[in-house]
Amino acid sequence: MTGTGNTEVIVIGGGYAGVMAANRLTQRDDVSVTLINPRPTFVERIRLHQVVGGSHDAVVDYRDVLAEGIALVVDTVTRIDAAGRRVTLASGGAVGYDYLIYAVGSGSADPHVPGAAEFAHPLADLEEARQLRQIVNAAPATAPVTVVGAGPTGIETAAELAEAGRTVTLVCGDVLGPYLHPRGRRSVAERLAALRVTVIEGPGAKVTAVTRDAVELADGRRLPSTVTIWTAGFGVPDLAARSGLSTDALGRLLTDETLTSVDDVRIVAAGDSAAPSDLPFRMSCQAAGPLGGHAADTVLNRIAGEQPAPLAVGFVGQCISLGRRTGIFQVARRNDSAMGLHLDGRPAAKLKELICRGTVKQLASEASKPGSFKWAWAKDDKRQSVLEARRSEALTTR
């Protein structure tokens, strides 16, 4: 505690959700906000494939996105002491709090595939992207590159490197772009084919082993690979679990529908590391901003002695770049299910760049005018049905 008489709020994690939450908390003059993050700069995570391809550095100065008056502590939280209301830092210090927002984000997951940890290169944070860029640059121009995982990160990385002249194989594990509508998937496949990316999908396309110079598949194929990039799946830091807080199977902090921890009303979660009602939203910056905003609103409600509202988040789709010149925007229903509509080609590439710049501008706008951020919301009937079923089951088992 600082002894200022203000309510002290710590935000752990300075990504999209954490910065949005921190900025929004400054609506009250009697709230002191401390943002704890291991890096001194904000990372545009949705541009990490561009770091690998060499077209962007994906970093922004925190002075450009963080409100004045927020204390930035460049350090790593090693433990949350919920009973003592303080966090322990890797540097050896400790910081006290009245409320804490848990926004540690996500990172690479353990692939659980023989050889993958030793010979495949993950791509989930800035350091991994920078290291991968050096590895790609050091490889011969004709060296085969294999990207494992056909979600947005895998597709974008494969396209970025192929456009730069690399020989790229994209191993899907099952299907190209699982989120995409079949129409959108065809558009992506056509663009990847034009870039000469070899796409391998289907039952036999699951990776069973990775060696220093190859990727082995379930159907017996052995793909030569000088550089293997692993984008299949994400994990979350184990800070909550190590601190004795309740988490879901992946390690996300379990919360109620206001994003409040099921263990402690003074701990609120946001972004990829939150599991509201054990029904987490898709890991994305599209969800991170609203969850960060809602987490801040929950804390502000509690400070004011008001009941926090349940969250309501609506999605609009998924945007994927396919190199620097084309892309696709897959339109979705508010409940995040893909529709048969999509925008592709150069207009989609321009839209993707607009979204990337817009997310940073959104954070900067909230910094200069806290409380101004508005997000799409919608009643998710499927989510509500699950919650109602759980409530009914709880009542019948009492």
Side-chain angles (χ1 to χ4, degrees):
M1 303 297 180
T2 64
T4 62
N6 285 356
T7 300
E8 305 287 340
V9 184
I10 288 177
V11 179
I12 307 177
Y16 296 103
V19 171
M20 177 58 73
N23 286 340
R24 200 170 183 87
L25 287 166
T26 63
Q27 290 177 79
R28 289 184 64 120
D29 294 333
D30 59 350
V31 172
S32 296
V33 184
T34 300
L35 178 69
I36 304 175
N37 192 65
R39 302 181 192 86
T41 52
F42 176 78
V43 176
E44 291 188 79
R45 187 171 175 181
I46 54 179
R47 291 192 187 272
L48 289 184
H49 62 286
Q50 290 185 254
V51 176
V52 179
S55 63
H56 205 283
D57 62 8
V59 295
V60 176
D61 194 308
Y62 269 120
R63 288 176 295 184
D64 295 331
V65 295
L66 207 57
E68 290 184 13
I70 294 176
L72 175 63
V73 175
V74 181
D75 211 326
T76 300
V77 175
T78 57
R79 185 174 180 274
I80 300 168
D81 177 4
R85 292 189 205 164
R86 63 182 177 181
V87 299
T88 304
L89 305 178
S91 63
V95 183
Y97 65 84
D98 294 306
Y99 289 92
L100 181 148
I101 293 182
Y102 187 83
V104 298
S106 59
S108 299
D110 186 344
H112 297 297
V113 171
E118 294 83 1
F119 303 115
H121 305 283
L123 179 56
D125 63 34
L126 181 63
E127 290 73 25
E128 292 171 348
R130 286 173 170 172
Q131 181 182 35
L132 188 50
R133 175 62 180 163
Q134 294 177 352
I135 291 169
V136 170
N137 284 345
T142 56
V145 177
T146 303
V147 179
V148 180
T153 303
I155 293 171
E156 291 183 324
T157 304
E160 201 80 21
L161 293 176
E163 192 174 71
R166 293 287 175 174
T167 302
V168 182
T169 297
L170 178 62
V171 180
C172 301
D174 186 14
V175 64
L176 175 67
Y179 178 91
L180 300 172
H181 186 276
R183 295 175 187 171
R185 190 172 298 121
R186 283 195 294 271
S187 176
V188 171
E190 289 170 3
R191 176 56 183 165
L192 291 176
L195 290 170
R196 298 185 179 180
V197 175
T198 300
V199 176
I200 299 178
E201 58 183 331
K206 182 180 179 181
V207 175
T208 56
V210 179
T211 65
R212 189 179 301 278
D213 58 4
V215 171
E216 299 177 7
L217 304 183
D219 60 9
R221 279 179 289 181
R222 190 172 187 274
L223 311 175
S225 182
T226 301
V227 180
T228 301
I229 303 172
W230 197 275
T231 70
F234 290 97
V236 298
D238 64 351
L239 175 60
R242 281 189 288 110
S243 301
L245 299 170
S246 298
T247 67
D248 70 357
L250 193 64
R252 289 171 287 215
L253 185 69
L254 280 176
T255 76
D256 62 16
E257 287 294 286
T258 73
L259 296 179
T260 302
S261 166
V262 297
D263 302 309
D264 191 327
V265 295
R266 291 181 178 269
I267 298 177
V268 179
D272 290 353
S273 54
S277 303
D278 204 10
L279 296 171
F281 293 93
R282 171 166 57 92
M283 290 182 174
S284 64
C285 74
Q286 189 175 172
L291 291 179
H294 193 90
D297 287 350
T298 290
V299 171
L300 293 172
N301 285 149
R302 294 198 185 283
I303 292 172
E306 300 169 354
Q307 178 61 39
L311 77 162
V313 178
F315 289 79
V316 295
Q318 187 178 84
C319 202
I320 302 173
S321 63
L322 297 168
R324 295 297 87 216
R325 293 185 291 274
T326 68
I328 182 171
F329 179 76
Q330 171 65 67
V331 181
R333 300 175 183 86
R334 289 294 179 91
N335 67 1
D336 204 26
S337 59
M339 300 174 63
L341 301 174
H342 71 270
L343 177 70
D344 57 16
R346 192 162 185 81
K350 291 182 177 180
L351 178 59
K352 176 61 185 289
E353 179 60 25
L354 184 65
I355 290 171
C356 289
R357 294 181 183 182
T359 54
V360 174
K361 185 178 179 181
Q362 202 171 65
L363 295 175
S365 296
E366 186 69 12
S368 61
K369 191 178 179 182
S372 61
F373 174 56
K374 308 295 181 185
W375 57 88
W377 65 273
K379 182 179 179 181
D380 186 337
D381 292 334
K382 183 177 180 181
R383 184 183 188 87
Q384 293 304 315
S385 295
V386 172
L387 293 175
E388 286 297 331
R390 288 181 181 175
R391 293 190 192 102
S392 299
E393 183 179 355
L395 288 173
T396 56
T397 54
R398 283 182 182 177

